[in-house]
Amino acid sequence: MTEIGTTVLGYPRIGPDRELKRSLERYWAGKIAEAELLDTGRALRTRTWRELKDAGLDSVPSNTFSHYDQVLDTTELFGALPERFTTLGLSPLDAYFAAARGVQDAPAMEMTKWFDTNYHYIVPELGPDTTFSLTGTKPLDEYREARAIGVETRPVLVGPVTFLLLAKAAESAPEGFRPLDLLDNLLDGYVELLRRLHDEGVEWVQFDEPAFAADRTEQELNALIRAYHRLAKETTRPKILVAGYFGGLGRGLGVLARSPIDALAVDLVTDESFADAVAAEPALRDKEVLAGVVDGRNVWRTDPTRALSRAATLLGTAKSVSVSTSCSLLHVPYDVEREDGLHPRLKGWLAFAKQKVDEVVLLGRALTEESVDLSAARTAATDRATAADLADAGVRARLEALRPEDTVRSPYARRAVAQQDALGLPPLPSTTIGSFPQTTEVRKARAAHKAGSLDDAGYEAAMKAEIEHVIRLQEDLGLDVLVHGEPERNDMVQYFAERLAGFAATDFGWVQSYGSRCVRPPILYGDVSRPEPMTVEWARYAQSLTTKPVKGMLTGPVTILAWSFVRDDQPLGETARQVALAIRDEVHDLQEAGIRVIQVDEPALRELLPLRAAAHEAYFAWAVSSFRLATSGIDDATQIHTHMCYSEFGEVVKAIDALDADVTSIEAARSKMEVVTDLGAAGFGRGVGPGVYDIHSPRVPDVDEVSGLLRTAVGAVPAERIWVNPDCGLKTRGYAEVEPALRNLVAAANAVRAEL
Ligand code: MET
């Protein structure tokens, strides 16, 4: 075989029934031995390779398995785990897990989002004295393992430039050090790996370079040139495929086309216009191009007509064109066939990983042979495109009738006075972000209700008891704005998706988020509306228990989209407006029910930020206006809060300001309040609650620590605008830590208040 042919760039690895998750968690809990964990992995790999081969792919990827994360695998492969994990006397596997998860004496490596997906990778920590050398054998082992069962594979590796661009400078590194400075040394390691793969008989190897779907400097593009000239110049090497995905490659396209690699995989889904750029690239004429026309990130069945025409655009340009996925299938669930709970018609529009492999095979044949029957795929595409019941005329008419003033509140100064009159809060008011610890009893009650063994009345009583407990606790602690604690919510997006029209839920649609953690995103397939109030009764009940204001708690439109699989037949901004309208109805009803403070969480505002700066403005325009649509049209005296976390704020400060929320609470404890300085500098002029209690750790901060953070905040932003709150919701914590921590938080607020 000289060509790659039809293939997928990667595959899910957590297991169709989350076998790897279960095995990992049992191993970490000391319940199974290492050998059993390794067996689970082997069984999953074997199954995947066989399936991919039997489905008829020309080339099957390997080394797409991981016990935790492919970036951490790469760090380990080249002997670059930080010393704090390798000197603990642990087995290699345990040192690897220690790096991912932390142990008592060695805090975990940082974890962050993999580009604009909801997958998270472990960030390499590098310094000038890092030396890479090929100490691991994982890609070789997996290749051999697959060959032993009769499957010839193409090892997949994180590309050297992307690896370094994703890394960060270790804390000990001198000012000015950049991980990219280590490129030559890292390339030595990759050269050695290529040599060994070649000796093993590997024909093709895949290097992933998604970092070039984002804006890159001249220097970074030069690194790309250097890397692939160096690797390709080796004579004893497999053929090299470079995969650039999560968008068009920009100037990276020309660089890769002109480098002496053998094949290039391009994403023709994220940015449709990229197909024209690829078609116009003359330097591709000596290369195989993999046309990524099957969406690796979303769950919709591919429209064969559009996919083929896009792939066919490249036919005259490249030496040969094959069909592939736009990116790894890691980001979609395994198999839609198992979803018996889905409406059959909707199911017919969906393709999960297994179905996407079949699509690739079929489209690959259709591109080269004439006589391929695409009628089933065409019918599905037409059925979805013409499905009248996706459109909700009422929703569309309401959106059409909106006037600009419907998304604008009166000036903040006026609102602030009205709100102060209504709420009468002290300076530095204290509150929490919404959820309280989800105790075993709460989880049990929810599960029993879902399973039908606890009836509606019993469930309601259990939730009300929990709400009452949370209200009494907050009164006792002396917090100023209370919450009901969110005991009824399984998840902040799923809860709303289950109550909104236009969404469907899956039974087995799990996707890896990080390590053993998986999420099951809802599917937003049609026009969205709110058949009835979703949170009002719980909020009303909570408010009836206390004279202090209770804050209503909602999830914002951007976050609902970010954590769902969203329809791709209309612009995201359009869908966001529909979700916003439904949230707006809820905001209105909460106000009617006597709720005077309403929080609309947008923790994913940063997550959907496009990789290229040129697209930021358009994104902010719809993201901001959907939030404002959701939160306008109410009384001046009703106070709107929003909450954000997991975020680097630099690029989004302006957008946060534009949301026009009365109060914004943000993660800040770990960064020692840096964000407040940023906001102050940006002229952010409304209420702000920088988190003073890091809820991602079981540590209880003492009064001095919290007051110290508060004083920093008071120094950067006028005191009358500061709120006192934790970093995020408390649902993953236990009462044993939460109670003393909140007690200290209130004491600190009192102490600093007295100094004003
Ligand atoms: N209100 C939500 C909570 O407290 C906000 C979470 S943001 C990830 O859990």
Side-chain angles (χ1 to χ4, degrees), residues 496 500 530 534 554-557 560 578-588 600 630:
F496 292 95
L500 290 168
R530 188 199 67 149
M534 307 180 283
L554 303 171
T555 302
I560 289 184
Q578 297 183 356
V579 177
L581 199 58
I583 302 295
R584 180 183 174 101
D585 292 344
E586 190 73 10
V587 166
H588 182 263
V600 179

Side-chain angles (χ1 to χ4, degrees), residues 433-435 486 492 553 563 599 601 603 643 645-646 728-729 731:
I433 305 305
S435 57
E486 305 179 26
M492 63 185 287
M553 205 52 64
W563 296 348
Q599 180 169 309
D601 291 322
H643 170 71
C645 53
Y646 318 128
C728 194
K731 69 170 167 234

Side-chain angles (χ1 to χ4, degrees), residues 13 66 68-72 96 100 109-124 166 246 330-331 511-519 562-563 603-604 607 645-648:
R13 55 203 180 202
S66 177
Y68 204 96
D69 163 50
Q70 71 273 12
V71 180
L72 182 60
Y96 169 89
M109 294 171 80
E110 188 185 326
M111 180 170 76
T112 197
K113 273 163 43 64
W114 176 245
F115 301 94
D116 56 353
T117 72
N118 197 13
Y119 176 79
H120 301 71
Y121 71 95
I122 302 290
V123 183
L166 293 179
F246 297 148
L330 181 66
H331 311 286
V511 177
Q512 185 178 24
S513 170
Y514 66 90
S516 67
R517 294 297 189 104
C518 302
V519 293
W563 296 348
E607 188 169 313
C645 53
Y646 318 128
S647 299
E648 292 151 28

